[in-house]
Structure formats: structure tokens, C-alpha cells
Amino acid sequence: MNKRIFAILSIALSLITGTSAQEKILWYDKPAEKWMEALPVGNGRLGAMVFGGIEKETIQLNEESVWAGPPVPENRNGAWKSIAKAQASIFNGKYVEADSIMQTDVLSPRIAPRSYQTLGNLNMDFQLKGEAENYRRELDLDKAIAKTTFTLNGVNYTREVFSSPVDQVIVVKLSADKPKSMSVNLSLDRPADFEVATVGKNKIRMWGQASQKGKHPGVKYEAQLLAVPNGGKTIAEEGNIKVSGANGLTLFISAATDYNADEPYSPLTHTLSAVCAKQLKAVSKKTVEKMVDEHQTEHQRLFRRVTLNLGNSGDVNVPTNKRLEAIKQGADDPGLMQLFFQYGRYLLISSSRPGNLPANLQGIWNQHLSAPWNSDFHTNINFQMNYWPVEICNLSECHEPFFDLLEDLVEPGSKTAKEVYNCDGFVVHHTTDVWHWTAPIGKVQYGMWPFGSSWCTQHFMEHYRFTGDKEFLANRAYPILKESSKFLLDWLSVDPRSGKLVSGPSTSPENKFYAPGTDKEMVRLDMGNAMDQEIIWDNFTNLLEAAAILEIEDDFVADVKTALANLSLPKIGSDGRLMEWSQEFEEVDAGHRHMSHLFGLYPGRQFSELQTPYYIDAINRSIDGRLANGGGHTGWSRAWIINFFARLQNPDKAYENLKALFQKSMADNLFDMHPPFQIDGNFGGAAGMAEMLVQSHLKDENGETIIQLLPALPKVWPNGNVSGLCTRGGFTLDMKWKNGNPENVVISSKNGGSCKIKVGDKTISLNLKAGEEQTLTRF
Ligand code: FUC
């Protein structure tokens, strides 16, 4: 330990985060005109987009399981008989032939659209006339409440909306500061497949069955609206409720479906109207104050674990869209970035709570019947990216829905492995959805890629690394790592050209190259493309690490060790770039949005300056090449690049790309845009910011976690503080920095253990007991 640099004090409490204001409110001075300006609330299951209209207000509603379908794509039983032929074609340089064999003999037809759908709209037609003044609509991330306020004809109106994880309802509280000022017509509707009726004078029911224009009948749903006015008169007619002259009004919305997450093909048999009614009955016995209180306590239990202050140079009195516009014009606004970071955490808490379905391509917020890419779970980057911030940003339990889905895919994925590939273990391809199908579908360019499963198993191991939960490792992580490893062992074949083990035929996700020796014929499939090999390396090394901790030494572990030792590793091309494929093919799109061959840099840990310095220059050249040709043009692609540069410890480039995410891929409500809206960029961007502040993916030669502080801190964030970020090895970090250097750092250990703290090239070893904290000062 270098005592001149570090002074270590053991203290009980950290007071280092200071009291400076935290950015936590998105706000606007006009109602939303478009959905991408509306503000999201959610409880993991029920979502709402709040527009903040004045005379008319629409709240677009979601329930996470409102899906059309089945049918789902079926496996091509026996497809494996053709695969050896396609492999031989590739080894003989006949790429066009290989693409064609796989397309014809292996891929199943895509069934689309068959989409996640909107639950519908709550329409409020207020009997208001005149010019509103003092208008403001906001989303408070700490309170998890969307609020609209304005003055009209001398009356101050307040409308608050939240989705309670405690009571499982959406609450809309409408208030006015003068009596009898509340008159409104209420209705529920949906673009298709719905019926409505009133029950008594205070309730509207809407029900139906999701379909795609009458095809693919899917989940049956019901939503109920209960109106509880304070005074005034209420009548119900033609499916609407009319409230007039009330002093205030509270609306409760409940929703239920017959979707059975455990067995999607056996719908639940509960009576949907009874489930909704029961939820409404329960809340009608509570005060709204109590509901708000319980909702916020539960939200803040998760949300308040992390604080971030990047110097707050922004002006919180300027509406969020104007601050975003200023960044688009070139300004720096660390405060808005801070808000974006916390928004990512807010969106994760609001779309992925334990017991729910995981966050899909739009989280849970979707206005369409036919959403882009069906708003499904795309497992060739997007679904995983949704969960990149979850551990580092101290929201470990929000990972649960991801694990549940993956485990549900083991059974169908084993059937696909057997039927399509004649392999053991389980396999998932580039996408899946709530119907738990796993077949390769559509075009080989995206569909012929059996790695969704292996990539996702990485998350199980990461969850263990961050939490130290050995029971999880033994009962959940190891078994699923083993299932995906079984598939990989069978799937790998020997490349006759090198004698090494390679994957294939497979696509480097969604990319293409010109087949050598042809007149620029575009092809997609290769043997041993870099990403496949890197994911296999990751999967095998994760399995071996888990086996060592669990003291498992059996034939299977020995087989994995042997395969790992014979695995073909990514190569560097004659132009100095990391090669995306096994050969130096001519690329069709040099700026392709997927940067799959850099998986080993992030989210993998195969490449690092410390452990594989010889790859670093090649990786930099690969990223530069992509960027020079228009790469990063989708929000998620840009978010990935931020993480790459954070891992490369290049603060300038990490920041430049973070800023570009704001400039090119962000809507006024700070939703990420592919375009269209895709939530992965919100989550990937937040993860990238965390990765700029702390990294813990490396181990030293004794297997101790290395925690790197401020590895990619940009010049525009010279002073700041963060609390509650988590690291591998089970540590939590509070840190204050000044002039770019850590000043006061508190490390606490969940389970006890040692680590190495690294600041620049200075290192210190720590050994903490479970629950112990140490403070490092005077850097
Ligand atoms: C991947 C990407 C697309 C899109 C889709 C949902 O396949 O290549 O750009 O994000 O997922």
C-alpha cells in the first residue's frame, strides 16, 4: 500500500456525496403534441404515457402482456442434415452456395406482424375554455409521478399520474383549487379489438382479445376505470362517464390479461373482470395520500440507491426540450446528462420489476398495434443492452425478469437444438417474444445466428459477480451456463484450414460481405466469425469460473476446458483492424450499426489494454473505420460505442459519442431513437456513463477484482460525485472527485473480500469484512 498517496480510514458512514441538487425532473412548458413528447410512468407491468393536454388529455395505456399470437415459427425438424453440406461449401470458398443451403433448408418463415400492443387510451374531455397560463408538465424521477399544472379562468388545476407497484393500478388525480371546477367526459378506447360498457355510474370496462387485424388472436385483456369524484354530479351513458361540477376527481385504472408467463399456451382461466374489480375495490378503501406514500416508498427504495452529480452546470429552470436542443446546437450540459442517466434507472425500475415480463424493445411503452419489430425481445444486442446498467447501477433485482424469461426458453430451446441442429443443450436465435419460441427464422442475414442464448447466459454470471450470491450461482447461473455450453460443444466443428474449433455457418449479426471470386454477390454466412468465437470464449470462461467456485470437476468441465483451449480466436487483418469474419472479406457496409466483433471489449472482457494489449490498436481501428463510414447511426449503436470507448479508457471519444447520442438519437422526452423509439439506447447510454466512472471487469494475476476509478472521465465533468454504483466482487462505491481526481472514496463490501483499487497507474489493495466500509482520502 502506498501510504503517501492513499490514506485509509475505516468509518461507519459516508457523507461524501454532498448536498448539491440532483437533476431529477424532466419538464416542459407546453403539452405534448406527439407520443415521443409524452412522459412515461410504469410499475413494471402497467405503463402510461402522459401528454399533459389542457382541454383534452389523453393517457395512452399499456399492460406488458397484451400480445397478438400465437402461432409462432416452428423448428425445421432434421434441418441439421444440410448443415454439414453448407459448412463444407464455406470451407471450400463457396459462400453463395452455403447461404442458399441454409436459407432453403434451415430457416423457418417469419410470422409478422404479431406484436406487443397498446392496451388503449384513457380520454378526458374537460369542459374548459380560455387561455391557460403558468403551464408546466413534468416527470419527477424521484417521486415517479407525472404532473401537469396550469391556471385557467383563475382556477389552478393540477393533474398527477402514477403507476403503483404496490396497488397494481394507475392513478390519475385531478385537482382544482376552487370548488365545482371539475367537469369532464371520460372514455376508454383502443385502435381495434375492443368493447366498452359502463358498470353503475362510476365504472367503465373495456375488454377484448388482441389480434393483428383479426388474425393471430392472442391475449384476452380487460381494463377498468373507476371514477371517484369529490362532489358534483356523475352520470354514465353510452360507455362514457360524465362528471360535472366536482371539486376534484380521482381515477383508478386496473388491467388484467389471461397471459400465463409460465405456460404461454395455457391461458389463465381467471375471470378478467373479477381480477380488475378486485384491484379497484382494494384501492377504493385506501386514501390516495396513502397510495402515493406507499408508491413512492417502494420506488425510492430502488431509485435512491444511486445519486450522481456531474457539476450541474445546466439550468433546471430551462425546459428539458430546450436544453436538449442546446446540446444539439453544440452546448455541453452535464446536468442534462445526469438527468438522462437517472432516467435510464427510472425506466428500468418502471419496466422490469421482479415477477414481471422483462423490458422489451420499448420497455413497456408502446402505442401501436403493430409495433416496430413487434416490440419483442431481440437477442442479438437490444435485449441484452436493456440490462447493461442493471448491476452497476444498483438495480440488481430488476434483472430477475430477464433471468425468468431465459429459463423459460431452456425447454423450447432444447427442442430447437435437437430438432434443427441435432445438438444437446439449448439455443435461442436473434429474437424471441412472450410465446417463448426459439427457431431460426426469416433471412439468414439476421436469423442464422444461434447465439442469443449464450450471450444472455453472460448476465447470470455477471449477476453473481456483482452480488456474490452463491445460491444463485449454483441453482441458476451454473445450470443455464451448462445448457448453453452443451449446445456450443456440439455446435463447434473443426476448421480444416486451421485445425481450430469454429462456429458456423452463422452471420455476424445482420452484416454482409461480398463473396470472394464473384461479381460482388452479397453473402452473410461464414465459419468462425469473430463474434461467435468471442461469445463462446465468454460462455466457456464463465462456466469454468463458476465450476471452480462451486468446486465442480467432472468430465463436462474437462470437455469445456479442452474446447476452450482449441477455440479459434479473433484475428487482426492486413489493414490492422480486428477481423469481423474468419477471412478478410470485402465489406458491403463499412459503417454497419452492429459492431459485433467487438463483443469481447464490451460487454465481454476478453480484450483489454491490461491483458491483451496486442488487440487494442486493432479494436481502435475497427471502431474508427465504422465511425468514418457512418456507424453509430442508431441510438443503440451509438450507446454501444460509448461503452467501447469507456472500456478503452478514452474519455474524449466516450464523451463525444455520448454527446452524439443526445444530438442525433434523442427525442424531446429523452427517449432513445433508433429511430423509431427503442429503449435500448436509454439503457446502453446510462450503462456507458457508469462505465466512464468505474470499471471492474478485470482481475489481477491472483484473481482479485480490479476496481478502476474514473477510467474515462471527460474534461467537462472535472468535479462531481456519485454514490451507490456497484462493482464486481460485491463492492459498492461512493466517490467524490475534484479537478478530475478522486478526492474521497468510500468502498463497502457486501460479502467480505479483497479487491485492488486503481486510479490511473496507482494501485491499492483492500480487504474488507462483510458489511465493512473503508474511506480513501487525499489522492
Ligand atoms: C436489431 C438491429 C435493428 C433493430 C432491431 C430491433 O436487429 O439490427 O437495427 O434495432 O434489432
Side-chain angles (χ1 to χ4, degrees), residues 25-28 39 137-139 141 320 339 343 669-670:
I25 296 178
L26 284 78
W27 82 272
Y28 306 83
L39 295 170
R137 68 184 171 98
E138 65 171 40
L139 174 66
L141 304 181
T320 303
L339 184 68
Y343 192 42
N669 62 1
L670 306 190

Side-chain angles (χ1 to χ4, degrees), residues 15-312:
L15 296 173
I16 64 161
T17 51
T19 52
S20 53
Q22 295 286 323
E23 292 259 8
K24 54 177 188 165
I25 296 178
L26 284 78
W27 82 272
Y28 306 83
D29 58 9
K30 287 191 187 62
E33 284 175 12
K34 297 186 283 219
W35 192 86
M36 288 297 276
E37 294 168 8
L39 295 170
V41 296
N43 66 3
R45 185 178 71 89
L46 296 173
M49 291 292 282
V50 183
F51 283 68
I54 298 171
E55 292 94 353
K56 285 185 198 243
E57 166 66 316
T58 305
I59 298 183
Q60 186 266 317
L61 305 167
N62 282 107
E63 199 282 347
E64 63 174 359
S65 62
V66 178
W67 262 84
V72 297
E74 298 285 340
N75 299 325
R76 299 276 298 273
N77 203 344
W80 51 272
K81 290 177 195 139
S82 301
I83 292 180
K85 252 195 297 173
Q87 289 175 338
S89 305
I90 292 177
F91 290 138
N92 290 318
K94 296 180 184 159
Y95 296 95
V96 179
E97 187 177 278
D99 266 32
S100 155
I101 294 171
M102 297 299 284
Q103 183 66 60
T104 314
D105 294 357
V106 180
L107 277 286
S108 302
R110 187 166 172 253
I111 302 174
R114 200 177 36 72
S115 179
Y116 173 55
Q117 300 190 337
T118 179
L119 174 66
N121 301 305
L122 161 62
N123 306 302
M124 295 181 264
D125 192 350
F126 293 94
Q127 310 300 301
L128 289 177
K129 288 217 163 52
E131 273 299 296
E133 297 170 308
N134 309 322
Y135 180 90
R136 178 182 168 104
R137 68 184 171 98
E138 65 171 40
L139 174 66
D140 186 323
L141 304 181
D142 184 54
K143 293 183 175 150
I145 292 186
K147 184 158 110 181
T148 309
T149 48
F150 57 90
T151 310
L152 194 83
N153 301 328
V155 182
N156 294 316
Y157 290 93
T158 304
R159 299 174 185 160
E160 290 160 291
V161 184
F162 63 94
S163 179
S164 167
V166 180
D167 293 304
Q168 288 299 317
V169 292
I170 293 169
V171 180
V172 181
K173 187 173 174 235
L174 308 168
S175 338
D177 69 349
K178 297 231 167 75
K180 301 183 181 171
S181 315
M182 190 75 62
S183 296
V184 58
N185 294 350
L186 303 165
S187 65
L188 292 177
D189 65 14
R190 191 171 191 271
D193 299 327
F194 74 104
E195 291 181 65
V196 283
T198 48
V199 181
K201 59 179 186 176
N202 286 57
K203 203 192 250 189
I204 307 176
R205 286 179 60 214
M206 175 172 73
W207 69 96
Q209 181 169 21
S211 81
Q212 271 347 125
K213 296 190 175 159
K215 277 175 67 187
H216 310 324
V219 167
K220 292 191 178 129
Y221 70 87
E222 171 139 352
Q224 291 188 2
L225 167 77
L226 176 70
V228 181
N230 168 8
K233 199 172 142 209
T234 304
I235 53 167
E237 58 180 29
E238 292 165 9
N240 294 358
I241 291 176
K242 288 189 179 176
V243 177
S244 37
N247 304 316
L249 174 65
T250 308
L251 311 175
F252 302 99
I253 299 152
S254 63
T257 76
D258 66 353
Y259 176 71
N260 181 355
D262 294 329
E263 284 185 54
Y265 300 98
S266 309
L268 297 173
T269 52
H270 58 192
T271 312
L272 299 180
S273 60
V275 177
C276 292
K278 198 170 160 202
Q279 283 165 343
L280 293 179
K281 194 164 177 203
V283 296
S284 61
K285 290 188 186 136
K286 277 174 113 167
T287 63
V288 175
E289 289 67 33
K290 187 162 188 316
M291 289 179 71
V292 169
D293 200 46
E294 290 177 359
H295 159 67
Q296 285 185 355
T297 304
E298 172 51 25
H299 173 73
Q300 288 164 358
R301 181 178 70 81
L302 301 171
F303 186 75
R304 287 193 172 173
R305 286 179 187 164
V306 172
T307 62
L308 175 67
N309 185 343
L310 295 175
N312 252 340

Side-chain angles (χ1 to χ4, degrees), residues 678-694:
Q678 223 170 264
I679 207 162
D680 42 18
N682 284 93
F683 295 136
M689 287 180 71
E691 205 70 22
M692 289 161 79
L693 301 176
V694 61

